[in-house]
């Protein structure tokens, strides 16, 4: 979701993102009564970086290494025929798999819920977790499917005329969440 730098305003900066990830990690440990069977799976692209950061925070809290991987949902999307072709991302499942484990899916922005539905379908083809939870950096509302995050960094009510762009140092050179006006293409139908 692109926004022009001139009309976008930051709603979270680097220290805020670090703080909410620390809070989410503590919430995961509390809800899971530890982290013994937790597996984090990030949804490419930025969800993978957030999952790795959460794994580091969980390790600091619990003293144990938390399995982390990535889950490509490209072929499970319901908009494949509506979008231009896209490259497949990488699915990387930790060595012990997901069967019988608590899998926490990690993504940057929760919007319609369709990405998470695709992730659940992809996860179903990989194994059978004991439970699946969802952690997101930003929940912007506007759900089209009955999906709710278990862990939310920031609830950010938006209009459909706004966009949310997450930038992370690993991909974009800086950590920030930007809120801006949706761009329209001259002559395009609304």
């Amino acid at each position: 979701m692109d926004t022009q730098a001139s009309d976008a305003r930051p709603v979270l900066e680097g220290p805020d993102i670090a703080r909410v990830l620390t809070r989410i990690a503590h919430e995961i440990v509390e809800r899971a009564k530890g982290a013994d069977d937790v597996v984090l799976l990030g949804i490419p692209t930025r969800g993978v970086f957030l999952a790795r950061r959460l794994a580091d925070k969980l390790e600091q809290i619990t003293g144990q290494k938390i399995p982390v991987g990535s889950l490509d949902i490209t072929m499970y999307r319901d908009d494949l025929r509506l979008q231009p072709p896209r490259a497949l991302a990488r699915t990387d499942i930790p060595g012990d798999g997901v069967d019988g484990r608590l899998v926490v899916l990690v993504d940057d922005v929760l919007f319609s819920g369709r990405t998470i539905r695709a992730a659940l379908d992809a996860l179903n083809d990989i194994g059978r977790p004991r439970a699946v939870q969802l952690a997101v950096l930003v929940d912007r509302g506007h759900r089209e499917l009955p999906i709710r995050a278990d862990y939310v960094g920031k609830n950010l009510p938006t209009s459909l005329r706004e966009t949310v762009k997450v930038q992370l140092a690993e991909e974009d050179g800086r950590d920030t969440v930007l809120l801006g006006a949706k761009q329209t293409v001259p002559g395009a139908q609304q």
Side-chain angles (χ1 to χ4, degrees):
M1 294 175 205
D2 292 328
T3 61
Q4 290 180 352
S6 60
D7 73 349
R9 66 179 174 86
V11 291
L12 289 175
E13 296 285 356
D16 305 315
I17 292 171
R19 191 170 31 261
V20 299
L21 290 176
T22 298
R23 178 176 43 80
I24 289 171
H26 281 281
E27 289 174 3
I28 291 170
V29 170
E30 183 177 337
R31 188 181 249 177
K33 297 178 178 32
D36 294 337
D37 69 342
V38 171
V39 174
L40 300 174
L41 292 180
I43 298 171
T45 297
R46 287 163 186 81
V48 175
F49 302 129
L50 292 170
R52 290 178 187 152
R53 292 183 189 189
L54 268 176
D56 291 342
K57 302 258 185 206
L58 286 166
E59 185 174 355
Q60 291 170 6
I61 295 166
T62 65
Q64 53 189 122
K65 192 130 181 86
I66 306 301
V68 62
S70 62
L71 183 64
D72 178 39
I73 57 135
T74 304
M75 298 309 295
Y76 296 88
R77 295 184 60 92
D78 63 3
D79 63 354
L80 274 178
R81 68 184 186 288
L82 306 174
Q83 300 290 328
R86 62 184 89 194
L88 295 177
R90 180 181 165 134
T91 292
D92 179 24
I93 303 303
D96 289 340
V98 298
D99 291 338
R101 311 285 300 266
L102 169 59
V103 172
V104 179
L105 296 173
V106 183
D107 204 5
D108 56 352
V109 178
L110 178 57
F111 183 35
S112 67
R114 292 182 180 279
T115 295
I116 304 308
R117 189 231 18 106
L120 291 169
D121 289 347
L123 185 59
N124 188 52
D125 281 351
I126 291 167
R128 190 166 193 271
R130 175 179 61 79
V132 180
Q133 295 177 347
L134 175 61
V136 296
L137 184 60
V138 175
D139 183 343
R140 64 170 292 188
H142 304 286
R143 219 71 77 238
E144 296 172 4
L145 298 172
I147 290 176
R148 179 182 57 83
D150 299 279
Y151 312 102
V152 177
K154 181 167 183 69
N155 284 296
L156 186 62
T158 62
S159 81
L160 290 173
R161 294 183 310 268
E162 294 175 304
T163 61
V164 175
K165 180 167 180 73
V166 173
Q167 296 180 327
L168 297 176
E170 296 91 335
E171 180 80 7
D172 309 295
R174 71 178 188 154
D175 286 348
T176 189
V177 176
L178 301 169
L179 178 64
K182 189 177 227 174
Q183 297 200 19
T184 57
V185 176
Q189 288 185 322
Q190 294 292 318

